[in-house]
Amino acid sequence: MMIQTVTGPVDVNDLGRTLVHEHLYVSFPGAELDPKATFDRPAFVAEAVRRLTQLRVEHGVRTFVDPCPMEMGRDVRLMAEVSEKAQMNIVCCTGFYTEARGLPSYWRNSTVEQIAELYIHELERGVGDTGIRAGAIKCASEGQPTMTEGEAKCFAAASIAQQATGVSIITHTHAGLGGPEQQDVFERHGVPLHRALIGHCCGSSDRAYHRSIAGRGSYVGFDRIGLTHFQKDEVRADCLVDLFRAGHSHRILMSQDHWCALRGRHGSPSDEAAIKAAATQANNPWGPGFTHLFTTFVPMLLERGLKQEEIFALLDENPRRFFAGGPSGA
Ligand SMILES: [Zn+2]
């Protein structure tokens, strides 16, 4: 089974240690119109290459999945340049963000079939005229209590594209809610649930929530490690070990949802203060680094009794199995 990276296809068995949800560059729609929101591309490339090289050399990471929604500043040529210079596989995604913060009106007013056609084009032929193909689909919902009409259309389109191309789906949920609804929608549209990573589950401290999502066969994202304004890492570690001990170790995916550069302001004012604090913590104009998982969170799991090899299986084996799909995903 091959997966598309921004520099070409890679056998899933060669993905190696993988972070399944990180970002290089994020720009909320409209930031490009803000004269104060400048972006120094050469400086960004240098910093991103430095960070990814450090991840590869010091922590053995070989693959960096950037599920940046297509309207959030996704720049696949920029990703390809960083990938080549840092010698790191980078996987980009097709798919839109939430209706409140993304989903441009043109596509919000399109049909499910038109959106699916766009996704399939990006997966099979490439993004725009770049020839760079997406390797997975991003889906996002935040509508409470249920997803919005526009989000539901994107989930339906993603389901069509998943079944047409066989790639995996990476989702965004908000505040550790909405995962079961996403699973319901995928199930209704015929997507095998092991093809979906339900993202940001670590925003919830409800162990029954995690067990229920894993029990239905999806991958459970502990993928905001270090974003402590959403959840304390101690709680994430306790919940992860609980899920592991409950027999769902093969469904856990760890990552950080960090970014190297954010252009201008964050599109969500409620998150902005916390994000500024995180950037200050990093003590530079760039976003939080990518090594926190290894330097801080892995030791927390060791303290809680997981073995080194058990922890690294979550980063080495689980992403390979997730992207490979397989008949049952077991
Ligand atoms: Zn993200």
Side-chain angles (χ1 to χ4, degrees):
M1 172 74 184
M2 307 298 280
I3 181 169
Q4 294 297 325
T5 74
V6 293
T7 51
V10 169
D11 193 301
V12 290
N13 294 312
D14 298 330
L15 287 177
R17 186 158 298 163
T18 299
L19 295 177
V20 294
H21 192 135
E22 305 293 341
H23 300 287
L24 285 178
Y25 171 72
V26 176
S27 171
F28 280 80
E32 72 280 5
L33 306 175
D34 182 350
K36 289 184 188 157
T38 53
F39 174 59
D40 182 339
R41 186 181 170 113
F44 168 79
V45 169
E47 178 64 13
V49 168
R50 188 189 71 74
R51 288 178 176 215
L52 294 200
T53 304
Q54 182 188 20
L55 266 184
R56 176 170 54 76
V57 172
E58 294 178 14
H59 303 290
V61 176
R62 301 274 309 283
T63 302
F64 182 99
V65 181
D66 183 346
C68 182
M70 51 212 298
E71 78 278 35
M72 299 288 287
R74 185 193 60 176
D75 182 336
V76 297
R77 284 199 175 98
L78 185 64
M79 290 184 196
E81 183 180 348
V82 171
S83 168
E84 276 166 11
K85 289 183 171 159
Q87 297 165 56
M88 174 77 74
N89 296 320
I90 297 180
V91 176
C92 74
C93 290
T94 189
F96 288 111
Y97 202 41
T98 62
E99 185 153 5
R101 304 197 223 179
L103 192 53
S105 62
Y106 182 90
W107 292 103
R108 198 186 315 144
N109 294 315
S110 297
T111 64
V112 168
E113 290 70 27
Q114 287 164 335
I115 299 169
E117 192 182 322
L118 168 69
Y119 290 1
I120 292 168
H121 181 95
E122 293 205 338
L123 290 160
E124 291 189 335
R125 299 176 63 184
V127 172
D129 60 357
T130 63
I132 295 173
R133 292 166 60 183
I137 305 169
K138 174 70 172 280
C139 276
S141 68
E142 276 194 0
Q144 296 298 342
T146 60
M147 61 178 69
T148 65
E149 201 182 318
E151 290 162 0
K153 267 202 244 181
C154 292
F155 272 73
S159 300
I160 293 170
Q162 192 283 324
Q163 289 164 89
T165 63
V167 302
S168 296
I169 298 176
I170 297 171
T171 80
H172 163 96
T173 61
H174 183 63
L177 296 165
E181 184 193 5
Q182 294 184 346
Q183 289 182 302
D184 292 343
V185 172
F186 288 138
E187 206 162 56
R188 203 158 58 237
H189 289 291
V191 175
L193 290 185
H194 68 275
R195 301 314 308 270
L197 158 58
I198 304 300
H200 310 335
C201 290
C202 56
S204 171
S205 58
D206 180 355
R207 294 162 190 214
Y209 179 87
H210 303 138
R211 290 180 188 208
S212 150
I213 287 171
R216 291 175 70 183
S218 296
Y219 287 79
V220 181
F222 283 76
D223 51 5
R224 281 184 155 173
I225 293 166
L227 295 187
T228 52
H229 53 290
F230 291 122
Q231 181 69 272
K232 289 194 182 81
D233 272 354
E234 287 77 11
V235 175
R236 289 191 173 99
D238 290 343
C239 290
L240 188 153
V241 172
D242 176 81
L243 191 61
F244 191 103
R245 299 279 182 234
H248 296 298
S249 62
H250 61 303
R251 295 301 189 212
I252 300 170
L253 287 170
M254 288 198 290
S255 204
Q256 303 163 115
D257 199 13
H258 289 186
W259 65 94
C260 184
L262 172 70
R263 184 171 186 166
R265 293 189 298 274
H266 194 279
S268 173
S270 59
D271 290 349
E272 193 175 355
I275 281 159
K276 271 194 187 135
T280 310
Q281 221 173 344
N283 202 24
N284 64 36
W286 308 103
F290 296 121
T291 56
H292 173 88
L293 191 159
F294 299 96
T295 57
T296 307
F297 196 69
V298 167
M300 292 169 71
L301 298 178
L302 289 168
E303 261 170 41
R304 285 162 175 76
L306 291 195
K307 297 193 189 77
Q308 186 94 33
E309 60 268 28
E310 291 175 326
I311 298 166
F312 282 103
L314 305 180
L315 295 162
D316 300 345
E317 289 304 311
N318 288 3
R320 180 195 56 72
R321 190 181 335 95
F322 168 59
F323 287 113
S328 67

